[in-house]
Amino acid sequence: MPTYDVAIVGGGYSGLAVAHFARKRGLSAVVLEKEERPGGKVQTVREAGNVVELGPLGWLDKEPAVTEMAADLGLVPVPAAPAEKVRYLLRRGRITALPSGPGSFLTTPFLTVGGKLRVMAEPFIKAKRDGGDESARSFARRRLGQQMADAFFEPFVSGIYAGDPGRLSAPGAFPLLAGWERDSGSLVRGAVKYMRAKAKRRKAGEPVGTGSLCSFAGGLAALAEAGTQALGDDCRLGVAPDRARKDGDCWVLERGGQEVARARQLVMACPAPATAGILRAEAPDLVDAAEGIRGDPLCVVAATFRREQIRERVDDGFGFLAARSEGFRPLGVQFAHAIFPGQTAAGLAQIRVLIGGSFDAQAHALDDAGLYQACFGPLEGLLGITGEPLQTWTRRVMGGVPQYEMGHLVRVARIEASAARLGGLHFAGDSFSGVGVVKAFARAKEVALAL
Ligand SMILES: Cc1cc2nc3c(=O)[nH]c(=O)nc-3n(C[C@H](O)[C@H](O)[C@H](O)COP(=O)(O)OP(=O)(O)OC[C@H]3O[C@@H](n4cnc5c(N)ncnc54)[C@H](O)[C@@H]3O)c2cc1C
């Protein structure tokens, strides 16, 4: 069995990106992926002229590592249609446009005059700089006031984490926002500074991205498939190591006591609970911390309809989120045909609904018909949908989105300290240092450069 420079456990976007950037540096790399399919949370189905995303829908072009790997593999990002920028929220049972700038903020019906004044007072609110942890809910209410926090921030948290803002850690889950307060004293001043710095980098010719939501022709799985193909036999699908142990200067990965790979360095790019299981014997001190980073099941239900089956306009926006107070069970609704028009067959609408997460962790237990009803039942009246869908797709992502709950940064520091003690051990993947495609890539490149 060859000794690789690096073995990577997990063939989601993170693991494949670590392998890509490591090989670009001239290192030999092997990826071990439990499933028979690469991509992890990314899963694209191509059927009857439709590209249906059953995991993430797209990535924001603000992290050059995604574009770099795509370009290396001959893929060109496809930006979303302008409709993507138009976002909606449910308000008193009606789909209502979100403010898109200072003018529409002043007239938005979501906040009272008092609520708007409170948001405008944000730069004058004393900054919390004690370095302690705080829940995302408390952070948002303290900085922006309760109305803004409940009406906008909480649905935004649902959209990213499908989580409970009362349990998520503000510095863990929203490090950029927490950093703005810590370093600039306010979110407004932090945002202005951030945008100025970005403009300066752009002027200097640095790749800062367009900020657009992007996908690829053939959907997000195209990048995972190209990455897997480039790895050839060094991407081993259907292989799930259950133990990692050190043997001299090498890491040995085993399954049922049999060696499956050997390498000088090891990158764990699988979810934190799986990482805990694999490292239990060699690094018992990280197990508790890694087991504390979990997610609740999240489900995606997508359906296509003929356009004339839908009464309301669904072409000029991304879709909508809902505050929990609306009593609307799904977490969010996306008009996939309007976002990436090339991914839906002509004359059809493709609607994607997310359901589950921390507040509805049992939704996954519904059968497919029950999930469809829970997602699309409430849309029948809202969007005026008549008749049956042409096709439906359902996926249950059992680990959902990892929740960076209070204490997350301490957990990660404990895991990193344990890794430093053992040597040659690294962590990528969205359990540890950022949820979402762009953060997965940024971290993967960072890890590959540190190998
Ligand atoms: C429904 C949903 C919608 C989302 N929407 C968006 C979006 O629109 N935009 C966005 O940016 N992000 C979105 N995200 C988040 C984004 O998908 C993830 O943050 C990102 O894909 C994480 O990639 P990863 O490689 O770190 O983890 P994963 O994709 O989870 O990959 C981990 C891999 O490890 C493998 N594995 C587990 N155990 C073992 C083992 N013992 N041995 C070997 N392999 C193992 C798994 O099979 C998996 O393939 C969404 C997530 C979900 C669930």
Side-chain angles (χ1 to χ4, degrees):
M1 190 161 297
T3 300
Y4 288 89
D5 289 320
V6 54
I8 299 148
V9 182
Y13 261 7
S14 292
L16 294 169
V18 172
H20 177 80
F21 291 113
R23 280 160 52 104
K24 209 170 163 178
R25 286 186 56 205
L27 303 175
S28 59
V30 64
V31 172
L32 308 174
E33 164 54 47
K34 182 175 79 165
E35 305 293 336
E36 295 293 344
R37 163 192 79 72
K41 294 186 183 82
V42 170
Q43 187 178 354
T44 309
V45 174
R46 297 154 187 139
E47 263 177 49
N50 301 298
V51 173
V52 183
E53 296 292 1
L54 296 178
L57 183 72
W59 50 278
L60 274 181
D61 178 23
K62 55 180 187 177
E63 165 45 53
V66 194
T67 334
E68 183 182 338
M69 176 165 162
D72 292 344
L73 298 172
L75 292 176
V76 181
V78 176
E84 179 267 319
K85 300 268 182 235
V86 186
R87 307 271 171 139
Y88 295 91
L89 258 183
L90 205 57
R91 179 177 180 268
R92 296 184 188 159
R94 290 176 67 97
I95 299 171
T96 309
L98 275 169
S100 54
S104 49
F105 173 78
L106 290 175
T107 54
T108 184
F110 284 102
L111 303 176
T112 63
V113 173
K116 289 172 193 168
L117 289 173
R118 175 62 180 82
V119 175
M120 289 190 254
E122 194 276 333
F124 309 103
I125 303 291
K126 194 169 177 294
K128 172 173 154 20
R129 288 192 167 110
D130 60 9
D133 208 347
E134 180 183 22
S135 77
R137 171 175 294 147
S138 152
F139 172 83
R141 286 187 178 171
R142 189 169 52 73
R143 294 293 336 157
L144 300 165
Q146 180 156 354
Q147 270 191 37
M148 177 74 174
D150 294 357
F152 293 111
F153 188 74
E154 300 228 351
F156 161 75
V157 172
S158 279
I160 300 177
Y161 280 93
D164 177 352
R167 284 164 44 195
L168 289 170
S169 151
F174 301 99
L176 189 64
L177 301 184
W180 286 349
E181 175 180 40
R182 187 189 55 238
D183 302 335
S184 305
S186 103
L187 298 183
V188 171
R189 282 195 292 276
V192 169
K193 224 168 157 180
Y194 173 81
M195 285 186 293
R196 282 202 186 128
K198 206 165 170 186
K200 216 166 151 185
R201 285 172 54 209
R202 181 174 285 122
K203 219 168 152 191
E206 283 182 45
V208 291
T210 55
S212 300
L213 187 75
C214 292
S215 181
F216 300 102
L220 290 182
L223 184 55
E225 290 156 0
T228 308
Q229 207 180 354
L231 282 166
D233 291 344
D234 291 332
C235 184
R236 301 207 212 134
L237 301 176
V239 179
D242 54 19
R243 182 176 176 199
R245 65 175 172 83
K246 274 215 108 167
D247 181 14
D249 282 347
C250 279
W251 280 96
V252 175
L253 288 162
E254 294 177 349
R255 170 91 203 159
Q258 298 292 313
E259 183 171 325
V260 290
R262 175 178 284 263
R264 281 174 274 277
Q265 305 202 54
L266 173 63
V267 177
M268 300 305 294
C270 57
T275 299
I278 294 168
L279 287 167
R280 187 174 300 278
E282 198 69 25
D285 48 337
L286 64 66
V287 169
D288 272 3
E291 282 184 339
I293 308 170
R294 294 185 169 270
D296 293 304
L298 181 59
C299 313
V300 182
V301 183
T304 48
F305 300 89
R306 283 189 310 280
R307 300 307 315 280
E308 56 272 21
Q309 287 180 264
I310 303 179
R311 188 190 63 228
E312 297 296 325
R313 284 186 59 82
V314 289
D315 294 327
D316 46 9
F318 180 89
F320 64 92
L321 296 165
R324 269 171 39 84
S325 55
E326 285 290 323
F328 183 75
R329 186 170 179 187
L331 293 162
V333 176
Q334 296 166 342
F335 305 142
H337 61 279
I339 302 168
F340 293 113
Q343 298 191 347
T344 300
L348 303 189
Q350 184 193 143
I351 299 182
R352 217 175 92 104
V353 183
L354 282 89
I355 192 167
S358 299
F359 286 119
D360 196 4
Q362 290 311 312
H364 72 97
L366 292 167
D367 63 11
D368 285 3
L371 266 181
Y372 177 83
Q373 193 48 38
C375 291
F376 283 86
L379 291 186
E380 282 172 11
L382 260 179
L383 298 178
I385 299 179
T386 50
E388 297 301 313
L390 300 177
Q391 256 185 303
T392 62
W393 297 264
T394 305
R395 181 182 181 205
R396 296 163 181 81
V397 184
M398 293 312 287
V401 173
Q403 300 295 297
Y404 292 4
E405 294 195 346
M406 300 275 288
H408 181 77
L409 295 179
V410 174
R411 270 179 222 110
V412 172
R414 211 174 288 157
I415 293 168
E416 296 284 3
S418 171
R421 182 180 58 74
L422 288 164
L425 176 60
H426 311 266
F427 299 91
D430 67 355
S431 287
F432 306 101
S433 44
V435 161
V437 169
V438 291
K439 290 193 178 146
F441 270 82
R443 173 68 180 166
K445 189 165 178 190
E446 196 179 290
V447 167
L449 294 179
L451 288 170

